[in-house]
Amino acid sequence: MKRTRLDVYRAKHGVDTVWFARPENFAWLTGGDNVVDRAGEIGVAAAGYDGEEVVVITDNVEAERLAEEELSGERVVTYSWHAGSLADAVASFTSRPAAADFDVPGCRRLDASKLRQPLVDEETDRYRELGREVAEAVESVCRDAEATDSEREVAAGLRGALAARDIDSPVALVGGEKRATRYRHYTPTATKLGRYALVSVTARRDGLYASCTRTVAFNAPEWLESRHEAAAHVETAALAATRRVGEHGGTAGDVFRAIRRAYREQSYPREWKRHHQGGATGYAGREWIATPFGDERVRLPMAYAWNPTVRGAKSEDTALVTADGVEVLTETGEWPTETVSAGGLELERPTVMHLE
């Protein structure tokens, strides 16, 4: 399926070979990780496809490790680390015309985001495992949290729990009582949790991303439950609209209209303006983020992570949306839930967990 998409791209754009060195695209094509420096946009290897085979180019420092630990039999071409850059190596090796997702002399630039959509069967199987393990990590850290813990302490525990499952955590947010009500992106600080906390993560393994949020309370403010329920209603409405719009070939803007309507139904008509609402996910934290006039095509089957907020409350999980229904991927069956109905869809959504 992936090679078919690439063949269509090659024919449409008149190129012989396509090259991928950005980590999300390298992982999409090979299933492997080409990242050493997490601050860089380009990995240490590039994968190319010419209509017949996938070839990986990397330097002599990385070749053996990638072949043994990250790749699945792809041919590896090696260059000496001191002889030039990855881009130079690709330029010297590739047949032309060619396209690449990074700057390579003599190659056109390509945007692979649409090539990564929709998901294929093998990806959905891996997504189920990732989603469950991400939720397990988040929920275990939440259960162990105490009101006197600092946000940073909880975030450190969260990153450790994910790392123990071989899951990276590009985004790990913990907001206690004081900061979760002020900020939508509650980057962890030394502030104590207080009466409750929101714990949010966007985590990655084998190139795929999963997001979820859980709310844990020690002495919950009286408004927390109602705001959380409102956010869960909006999230469910977004997922219902995603399936409906996806079946009819609509756009992100079509889903966004349903999101705005859901906020109005919950008597929070302006909350959507205070935080982005999420969108499609896969090989990026968000393949696209929905906006009121977004023209991105809603594709099925695809993973979606909607994250509506109502001041101090948030509802977020990653779900696989297909023509057959909506399957929440980031769930364990061990967190309290309640049934939420919106847009013709009924889902079990996580509630606030109250700890003594």
Side-chain angles (χ1 to χ4, degrees):
M1 177 64 74
K2 293 180 182 180
R3 293 192 181 193
T4 299
R5 293 181 197 173
L6 292 175
D7 287 336
V8 171
Y9 181 92
R10 290 169 55 247
K12 180 178 179 181
H13 295 274
V15 296
D16 290 339
T17 311
V18 288
W19 290 95
F20 304 105
R22 296 181 67 88
E24 62 272 22
N25 298 329
F26 186 92
W28 173 76
L29 182 56
T30 69
D33 186 353
N34 69 344
V35 175
V36 172
D37 179 0
R38 298 191 180 282
E41 294 184 356
I42 305 303
V44 296
Y49 173 69
D50 62 2
E52 295 183 2
E53 66 172 340
V54 174
V55 175
V56 172
I57 293 181
T58 190
D59 64 32
N60 62 298
V61 178
E62 307 296 342
E64 183 177 7
R65 178 183 64 83
L66 292 178
E68 293 182 356
E69 299 182 350
E70 299 294 343
L71 302 177
S72 303
E74 291 87 354
R75 181 160 67 96
V76 178
V77 175
T78 305
Y79 66 96
S80 296
W81 69 266
H82 56 83
S85 67
L86 177 61
D88 292 335
V90 170
S92 297
F93 178 85
T94 190
S95 59
R96 288 186 172 82
D101 68 350
F102 67 122
D103 290 332
V104 175
C107 292
R108 306 175 192 174
R109 284 298 296 266
L110 69 85
D111 179 357
S113 59
K114 292 182 180 179
L115 290 171
R116 302 194 300 259
Q117 303 174 54
L119 298 174
V120 300
D121 289 344
E122 179 270 334
E123 290 168 329
T124 60
D125 291 340
R126 288 194 288 121
Y127 235 137
R128 290 184 177 97
E129 183 177 0
L130 172 64
R132 175 180 52 79
E133 293 190 31
V134 167
E136 286 175 352
V138 172
E139 292 175 6
S140 67
V141 168
C142 285
R143 290 191 188 92
D144 291 340
E146 298 181 358
T148 54
D149 290 340
S150 73
E151 295 168 342
R152 285 178 183 159
E153 288 171 333
V154 176
L158 177 58
R159 294 189 182 98
L162 290 165
R165 294 167 170 83
D166 191 29
I167 300 172
D168 191 21
S169 49
V171 179
L173 305 178
V174 178
E177 172 190 359
K178 291 182 180 179
R179 298 180 66 254
T181 54
R182 295 183 63 190
Y183 309 115
R184 306 294 162 128
H185 289 154
Y186 26 86
T187 53
T189 69
T191 306
K192 304 299 183 183
L193 298 185
R195 292 191 292 172
Y196 86 102
L198 302 182
V199 178
S200 303
V201 67
T202 294
R204 173 182 60 202
R205 184 171 65 194
D206 297 331
L208 293 173
Y209 285 75
S211 300
C212 74
T213 294
R214 294 294 182 266
T215 307
V216 60
F218 313 100
N219 180 20
E222 60 180 15
W223 48 260
L224 180 60
E225 293 281 359
S226 62
R227 294 184 192 177
H228 180 87
E229 290 171 3
H233 177 91
V234 175
E235 184 193 14
T236 304
L239 287 167
T242 301
R243 182 186 177 195
R244 182 174 64 254
V245 170
E247 286 185 297
H248 293 90
T251 68
D254 297 325
V255 178
F256 204 91
R257 281 188 282 276
I259 290 173
R260 292 182 63 177
R261 183 166 57 249
Y263 271 111
R264 289 196 301 270
E265 291 171 351
Q266 296 299 304
S267 300
Y268 292 103
R270 294 183 177 84
E271 284 293 290
W272 67 269
K273 295 183 177 182
R274 296 181 171 95
H275 185 230
H276 80 75
Q277 302 301 303
T281 186
Y283 287 88
R286 296 295 186 271
E287 295 282 8
W288 48 257
I289 291 175
T291 61
F293 305 103
D295 60 359
E296 299 87 353
R297 181 181 171 189
V298 176
R299 299 173 182 267
L300 306 179
M302 194 65 196
Y304 291 87
W306 300 105
N307 47 252
T309 59
V310 175
R311 184 183 177 187
K314 181 177 182 179
S315 186
E316 176 185 31
D317 269 304
T318 301
L320 175 65
V321 183
T322 71
D324 296 325
V326 175
E327 175 187 353
V328 178
L329 300 175
T330 44
E331 68 174 4
T332 64
E334 298 179 359
W335 190 269
T337 65
E338 64 179 2
T339 303
V340 177
S341 299
L345 176 67
E346 283 193 355
L347 277 183
E348 290 298 313
R349 303 306 305 122
T351 61
V352 177
M353 174 172 277
H354 296 269
L355 299 179
E356 298 296 333

